[in-house]
Structures are given as C-alpha cells and as structure tokens.
Amino acid sequence: GAVVSQHPSRVICKSGTSVKIECRSLDFQATTMFWYRQFPKQSLMLMATSNEGSKATYEQGVEKDKFLINHASLTLSTLTVTSAHPEDSSFYICSALAEPSTDTQYFGPGTRLTVL
Amino acid sequence: GESVGLHLPTLSVQEGDNSIINCAYSNSASDYFIWYKQESGKGPQFIIDIRSNMDKRQGQRVTVLLNKTVKHLSLQIAATQPGDSAVYFCAEIRPGSWGKLQFGAGTQVVVTP
C-alpha cells in the first residue's frame, strides 16, 4: 500500500526558533498533500493544502507566515513552524492524495512538536 | 472546525462483543465518507469508506452504514478485540472540495477483557 513518512517523529525546540517537518510519499507521487494539527483528545484540524509547484492554500485562521509550506517535488512537502511558541506545541500530521484518485488520502505517522 | 475544550466520548466494550460507533455529519451534499482509526501517537489509519449512492458496505469485521435522510454514519466492529482500542473518526468529503477531509470529533473505544 501507499506509504507516507514524516520526519522527525518528535522534536523539542526552544521558543523563538523555527522547526521544519518533512512529509514524504515513499512509493507514489502526490500532487496534493495536506497538513493537519491535532491537540490532545481532539480531532484533526486541517491547516493547509499543499500543491506541488504552487503556493499552499491555507484554511481560515491559519497564519501563512507562521506556518510555511513548501511542496517542491511530487514526493516531498515541508512545513516550517517559524518563531515557535509554546502554544504551537501540537501533533502535526500530513497526508497525501494518491494520484489519480482525488479521494484517497494516506496519512503520515505524525510529528510531535514541543516548544519550551 | 476544531472542537476546542471538548472531551472525546468514550465507548467501553467487552472483548468479543460488537461495537457501534456513531457519527453525525453536517453537509447533505457530502458524497464520500471514510472511517479512520487512530492509535495513540500515530497517524490515522483507513478502515473503510462509503459513497453516498450506497447505504451499507462491509469489510473484514467492519460494516459502515449510511443514512442520508438523517445525515448519520455508523461503524460496526464485530467481535471487538483489544487491538481495536483506539480513537475512531468519521470524515466526509464535500463535492468540489478537492479532496479536503472534514473530520468528526472522534470516539474513544476502550476494549475491556
């Protein structure tokens, strides 16, 4: 089956620093990837849609200058949390649409970000 | 949107019994629904899906029922096992949303021996 990986799986950083999270589709190409965040005991909240070769589309209320998304190739999207603060601590999950399907999303294992 | 401040409802099930997890969806135009299982510290895992032109679909030990009249979706797990303990989310895709998933609040399933 289609596999999506994320790196790192866990990261701890100091307040004010930036953190980059990678999302890779390992055995398929993904024109579209999605980034979610999830707080404890809560559902997944879509942050943005990442499109290869174009700008990401952000959901309402998500700061695009805070959460930088780059989708430079058909197998890699990155999320950079800039000037991280403790309230950015969360579980970040990516997913990828397996072409040519536009419905089937494969999820990564998630990245636990802790900002001290 | 995000269910800030809400706790996940919990379903406690005895091992071997059947589980029924319910979900109400919001948009009558949604035409594709998926159930995901999420274990602690992991990403969501696809369980089963159903399109709006169907009202029932069966997989291995799982059945999804769709009632479009009342906008209700359910997941039935037969002979629940300890490995079924997880949080279960329903998700819907609306036409024209380019594959964006709208997740429900989730249900914590706890399987007791």
mmCIF file of all heavy atoms in Angstrom, chain A residues 37 45-48 58-67:
data_model
loop_
_atom_site.group_PDB
_atom_site.id
_atom_site.type_symbol
_atom_site.label_atom_id
_atom_site.label_comp_id
_atom_site.label_asym_id
_atom_site.label_seq_id
_atom_site.Cartn_x
_atom_site.Cartn_y
_atom_site.Cartn_z
ATOM 1 N N ARG A 37 -3.153 19.724 12.205
ATOM 2 C CA ARG A 37 -2.639 19.719 13.558
ATOM 3 C C ARG A 37 -3.708 19.120 14.461
ATOM 4 O O ARG A 37 -4.912 19.213 14.163
ATOM 5 C CB ARG A 37 -2.216 21.113 14.031
ATOM 6 C CG ARG A 37 -3.312 22.098 14.271
ATOM 7 C CD ARG A 37 -2.766 23.487 14.587
ATOM 8 N NE ARG A 37 -1.982 23.506 15.810
ATOM 9 C CZ ARG A 37 -1.433 24.608 16.319
ATOM 10 N NH1 ARG A 37 -1.580 25.772 15.699
ATOM 11 N NH2 ARG A 37 -0.729 24.575 17.419
ATOM 12 N N MET A 45 -7.429 19.013 12.679
ATOM 13 C CA MET A 45 -7.839 20.276 12.089
ATOM 14 C C MET A 45 -6.967 20.558 10.866
ATOM 15 O O MET A 45 -5.741 20.614 10.977
ATOM 16 C CB MET A 45 -7.683 21.414 13.092
ATOM 17 C CG MET A 45 -8.162 22.746 12.559
ATOM 18 S SD MET A 45 -7.700 24.134 13.588
ATOM 19 C CE MET A 45 -5.984 24.348 13.134
ATOM 20 N N LEU A 46 -7.598 20.709 9.731
ATOM 21 C CA LEU A 46 -6.855 20.986 8.510
ATOM 22 C C LEU A 46 -6.234 22.374 8.581
ATOM 23 O O LEU A 46 -6.928 23.353 8.870
ATOM 24 C CB LEU A 46 -7.772 20.879 7.292
ATOM 25 C CG LEU A 46 -7.129 21.170 5.941
ATOM 26 C CD1 LEU A 46 -6.069 20.120 5.605
ATOM 27 C CD2 LEU A 46 -8.186 21.216 4.829
ATOM 28 N N MET A 47 -4.932 22.438 8.318
ATOM 29 C CA MET A 47 -4.245 23.727 8.316
ATOM 30 C C MET A 47 -4.131 24.288 6.905
ATOM 31 O O MET A 47 -4.381 25.464 6.681
ATOM 32 C CB MET A 47 -2.835 23.557 8.892
ATOM 33 C CG MET A 47 -2.773 23.083 10.320
ATOM 34 S SD MET A 47 -1.084 22.782 10.833
ATOM 35 C CE MET A 47 -0.424 24.441 10.820
ATOM 36 N N ALA A 48 -3.703 23.434 5.996
ATOM 37 C CA ALA A 48 -3.442 23.928 4.648
ATOM 38 C C ALA A 48 -3.363 22.780 3.662
ATOM 39 O O ALA A 48 -3.130 21.634 4.028
ATOM 40 C CB ALA A 48 -2.127 24.707 4.635
ATOM 41 N N TYR A 58 -4.221 28.038 2.550
ATOM 42 C CA TYR A 58 -4.378 27.940 3.994
ATOM 43 C C TYR A 58 -5.846 28.028 4.398
ATOM 44 O O TYR A 58 -6.637 28.766 3.800
ATOM 45 C CB TYR A 58 -3.586 29.055 4.678
ATOM 46 C CG TYR A 58 -2.089 28.862 4.572
ATOM 47 C CD1 TYR A 58 -1.406 29.255 3.424
ATOM 48 C CD2 TYR A 58 -1.358 28.282 5.611
ATOM 49 C CE1 TYR A 58 -0.028 29.058 3.300
ATOM 50 C CE2 TYR A 58 0.012 28.096 5.507
ATOM 51 C CZ TYR A 58 0.669 28.478 4.353
ATOM 52 O OH TYR A 58 2.027 28.289 4.250
ATOM 53 N N GLU A 59 -6.188 27.312 5.440
ATOM 54 C CA GLU A 59 -7.534 27.391 5.984
ATOM 55 C C GLU A 59 -7.687 28.687 6.786
ATOM 56 O O GLU A 59 -6.705 29.290 7.248
ATOM 57 C CB GLU A 59 -7.825 26.192 6.869
ATOM 58 C CG GLU A 59 -7.838 24.870 6.110
ATOM 59 C CD GLU A 59 -8.902 24.845 5.026
ATOM 60 O OE1 GLU A 59 -10.098 24.985 5.354
ATOM 61 O OE2 GLU A 59 -8.529 24.650 3.843
ATOM 62 N N GLN A 60 -8.918 29.067 6.955
ATOM 63 C CA GLN A 60 -9.203 30.302 7.683
ATOM 64 C C GLN A 60 -8.642 30.232 9.096
ATOM 65 O O GLN A 60 -8.811 29.220 9.789
ATOM 66 C CB GLN A 60 -10.722 30.525 7.734
ATOM 67 C CG GLN A 60 -11.132 31.899 8.222
ATOM 68 C CD GLN A 60 -12.636 32.112 8.085
ATOM 69 O OE1 GLN A 60 -13.379 31.194 7.763
ATOM 70 N NE2 GLN A 60 -13.060 33.328 8.328
ATOM 71 N N GLY A 61 -7.959 31.291 9.495
ATOM 72 C CA GLY A 61 -7.406 31.353 10.840
ATOM 73 C C GLY A 61 -5.995 30.813 10.968
ATOM 74 O O GLY A 61 -5.390 30.925 12.038
ATOM 75 N N VAL A 62 -5.454 30.236 9.912
ATOM 76 C CA VAL A 62 -4.088 29.706 9.954
ATOM 77 C C VAL A 62 -3.152 30.740 9.336
ATOM 78 O O VAL A 62 -3.344 31.162 8.200
ATOM 79 C CB VAL A 62 -3.986 28.375 9.189
ATOM 80 C CG1 VAL A 62 -2.541 27.867 9.208
ATOM 81 C CG2 VAL A 62 -4.922 27.345 9.786
ATOM 82 N N GLU A 63 -2.146 31.145 10.102
ATOM 83 C CA GLU A 63 -1.229 32.187 9.640
ATOM 84 C C GLU A 63 -0.213 31.622 8.648
ATOM 85 O O GLU A 63 0.633 30.796 9.021
ATOM 86 C CB GLU A 63 -0.486 32.792 10.831
ATOM 87 C CG GLU A 63 -1.365 33.427 11.884
ATOM 88 C CD GLU A 63 -0.534 33.848 13.080
ATOM 89 O OE1 GLU A 63 0.389 34.669 12.887
ATOM 90 O OE2 GLU A 63 -0.773 33.348 14.190
ATOM 91 N N LYS A 64 -0.258 32.079 7.424
ATOM 92 C CA LYS A 64 0.642 31.545 6.407
ATOM 93 C C LYS A 64 2.097 31.947 6.644
ATOM 94 O O LYS A 64 3.014 31.229 6.241
ATOM 95 C CB LYS A 64 0.205 31.972 5.012
ATOM 96 C CG LYS A 64 0.192 33.461 4.792
ATOM 97 C CD LYS A 64 -0.280 33.772 3.369
ATOM 98 C CE LYS A 64 -0.286 35.272 3.113
ATOM 99 N NZ LYS A 64 -0.767 35.597 1.745
ATOM 100 N N ASP A 65 2.318 33.075 7.301
ATOM 101 C CA ASP A 65 3.697 33.479 7.589
ATOM 102 C C ASP A 65 4.270 32.744 8.785
ATOM 103 O O ASP A 65 5.486 32.717 8.984
ATOM 104 C CB ASP A 65 3.757 34.992 7.853
ATOM 105 C CG ASP A 65 3.378 35.798 6.630
ATOM 106 O OD1 ASP A 65 3.637 35.309 5.507
ATOM 107 O OD2 ASP A 65 2.809 36.891 6.785
ATOM 108 N N LYS A 66 3.409 32.152 9.558
ATOM 109 C CA LYS A 66 3.812 31.377 10.730
ATOM 110 C C LYS A 66 4.110 29.933 10.340
ATOM 111 O O LYS A 66 5.057 29.332 10.811
ATOM 112 C CB LYS A 66 2.665 31.413 11.748
ATOM 113 C CG LYS A 66 2.823 30.519 12.931
ATOM 114 C CD LYS A 66 3.642 31.203 13.977
ATOM 115 C CE LYS A 66 3.690 30.363 15.221
ATOM 116 N NZ LYS A 66 4.782 30.811 16.082
ATOM 117 N N PHE A 67 3.270 29.428 9.486
ATOM 118 C CA PHE A 67 3.394 28.032 9.055
ATOM 119 C C PHE A 67 3.703 28.016 7.562
ATOM 120 O O PHE A 67 2.814 28.051 6.725
ATOM 121 C CB PHE A 67 2.099 27.265 9.351
ATOM 122 C CG PHE A 67 1.732 27.219 10.796
ATOM 123 C CD1 PHE A 67 0.777 28.087 11.318
ATOM 124 C CD2 PHE A 67 2.344 26.315 11.649
ATOM 125 C CE1 PHE A 67 0.440 28.049 12.669
ATOM 126 C CE2 PHE A 67 2.011 26.264 13.002
ATOM 127 C CZ PHE A 67 1.059 27.143 13.501
#
